[in-house]
Amino acid sequence: MLLEDLQVILKVAEFKSITAAASNLDMRTATASAAVKRVEQALGFELFIRTTRHLRLSAAGERYIPQCQQALAMLEQAKNTLKSDDDIIDGELRIALSSDLGRNIVIPWLDEFMQTHTQLSLRANISDSNIDFYRDSVDIALRYGKPNDASMYGFKICDVPRILCAAQSYLDTHGTPAHPHDLTEHKGLFYQLQDIIKDVWVFSDASEEFKVKLHGGHAANDGDLVRRWCVSGKGLAVKSCLDMSNELLAGNVISVMPNFKPTPTELWLVCPSRQSITPAVRLLRDAFREKSAGILKALIAKGIIDKSVLG
């Protein structure tokens, strides 16, 4: 029984399929099947119950798999401790990114990071859906909002103001709102999460909070599409200033009603466990902090956001 065999066992348990596990591990199905047989023979128990269509854990497998996961995690942590001592930066970065921030901002950061650390490989999962670290086979996620799961480990990257923005072409046609109450006469561009359309926007000034329900003909579960609609003059959007930074700095969209601020958010790098925090992840955290601070400073210099965001 080899250490690599145990990694195959965990993948088969994850995907409930030897074929799918083999595909994920970039090996032949016959090789993965042989690994399963070696482990079962060494243990003297069948870990999986196989039928013509399905595969599931046996009673022995249900007891063995969690302890196998813990054992491999401890070995990985021991290896990372040695790497940390020698500053070895290698392995695979499996990172989940939101669609707009990922495609338009973070991928160039990662490209630059990979050029510096050539022994790393990258696997990016780009989606606005909620991430399940186990299901989606990712080790870290860059996400807006502080993690609400106490079992997760996270690093705050920066504070992120949200901005109400629109293209000048839209404002020329429909006018520029001066107060949140004016927004009921305008077209909203909405983000949709799990079939819930985010059409109620909250703004605040120095003394009061305003909650406004908008109307509009455009909604999407992809933040990148909402940005594209905004740039093309389809309506008003509330977006992260990082997501819209290129468009704001180029003048393709304009910050609207700057005295009334949408609810801000935070950018976090999240890990499912302490074992996921490798030397590469720590370097990536530092790079993300440096890059995001650069964007925020550029937006401050243009008067688009307030300098207080940098503390």
Side-chain angles (χ1 to χ4, degrees):
M1 183 169 58
L2 305 173
L3 184 62
E4 290 78 7
D5 292 346
L6 296 180
Q7 293 168 340
V8 172
I9 289 291
L10 294 186
K11 283 298 179 183
V12 173
E14 176 183 346
F15 289 102
K16 296 181 174 60
S17 164
I18 293 177
T19 301
S23 176
N24 181 266
L25 294 168
D26 296 323
M27 65 172 56
R28 294 168 54 241
T29 300
T31 303
S33 182
V36 172
K37 289 179 180 178
R38 279 195 297 271
V39 174
E40 290 181 328
Q41 287 172 357
L43 294 174
F45 292 96
E46 286 193 347
L47 299 177
F48 303 100
I49 297 173
R50 305 162 179 81
T51 66
T52 53
R53 289 191 175 185
H54 301 286
L55 179 147
R56 61 182 176 85
L57 286 174
S58 66
E62 289 177 353
R63 295 193 303 272
Y64 181 75
I65 293 298
Q67 295 186 54
C68 182
Q69 288 174 317
Q70 293 174 11
L72 288 180
M74 290 178 65
L75 289 172
E76 185 67 21
Q77 185 177 14
K79 182 174 72 173
N80 290 334
T81 299
L82 293 175
K83 286 183 178 180
S84 182
D85 291 340
D86 291 336
D87 294 326
I88 299 172
I89 307 299
D90 64 2
E92 184 177 59
L93 281 176
R94 303 189 304 173
I95 184 170
L97 305 167
S98 56
S99 66
D100 201 356
L101 183 72
R103 290 190 185 100
N104 302 300
I105 304 296
V106 179
I107 289 298
W109 296 354
L110 288 170
D111 288 343
E112 183 178 326
F113 189 79
M114 299 287 290
Q115 288 174 0
T116 303
H117 304 287
T118 56
Q119 294 184 20
L120 285 171
S121 60
L122 174 68
R123 185 180 299 183
N125 180 319
I126 297 185
S127 171
D128 283 333
S129 300
N130 291 330
I131 285 295
D132 182 318
F133 284 96
Y134 188 69
R135 178 198 65 204
D136 298 319
S137 295
V138 296
D139 299 315
I140 51 176
L142 190 66
R143 280 291 189 262
Y144 288 120
K146 184 177 181 178
N148 53 19
D149 187 337
S151 67
M152 297 292 178
Y153 291 80
F155 301 104
K156 182 179 174 181
I157 303 301
C158 63
D159 291 314
V160 183
R162 287 192 175 101
I163 291 180
L164 176 69
C165 47
Q168 187 63 55
S169 59
Y170 173 85
L171 300 175
D172 290 343
T173 302
H174 300 277
T176 302
H179 190 278
H181 295 325
D182 298 338
L183 294 176
T184 56
E185 304 299 321
H186 285 266
K187 297 178 180 178
L189 305 172
F190 305 126
Y191 178 67
Q192 177 180 325
L193 180 63
Q194 296 178 342
D195 296 328
I196 299 174
I197 296 178
K198 306 294 184 176
D199 57 359
V200 176
W201 295 347
V202 179
F203 300 86
S204 61
D205 60 9
S207 59
E208 194 173 353
E209 183 177 278
F210 304 89
K211 186 178 292 186
V212 185
K213 183 176 176 61
L214 280 83
H215 303 283
H218 293 75
N221 65 350
D222 186 306
D224 187 38
L225 183 52
V226 175
R227 179 188 60 82
R228 291 169 184 264
W229 284 335
C230 185
V231 172
S232 64
K234 297 292 191 298
L236 291 154
V238 170
K239 293 280 291 176
S240 148
C241 70
L242 292 180
D243 287 0
M244 298 301 290
S245 57
N246 291 335
E247 311 296 352
L248 287 162
L249 293 170
N252 297 329
V253 297
I254 296 167
S255 175
V256 180
M257 272 180 5
N259 293 330
F260 298 92
K261 302 184 185 304
T263 305
T265 186
E266 299 171 346
L267 186 64
W268 281 73
L269 185 64
V270 183
C271 308
S273 67
R274 191 177 293 277
Q275 287 74 30
S276 302
I277 306 172
T278 64
V281 169
R282 291 191 180 93
L283 281 178
L284 194 62
R285 170 203 61 194
D286 296 342
F288 284 168
R289 285 174 174 168
E290 179 183 353
K291 292 293 188 181
S292 59
I295 291 177
L296 294 174
K297 288 176 182 177
L299 293 171
I300 290 169
K302 286 274 190 177
I304 296 170
I305 61 174
D306 190 87
K307 63 181 180 181
S308 62
V309 69
L310 292 178

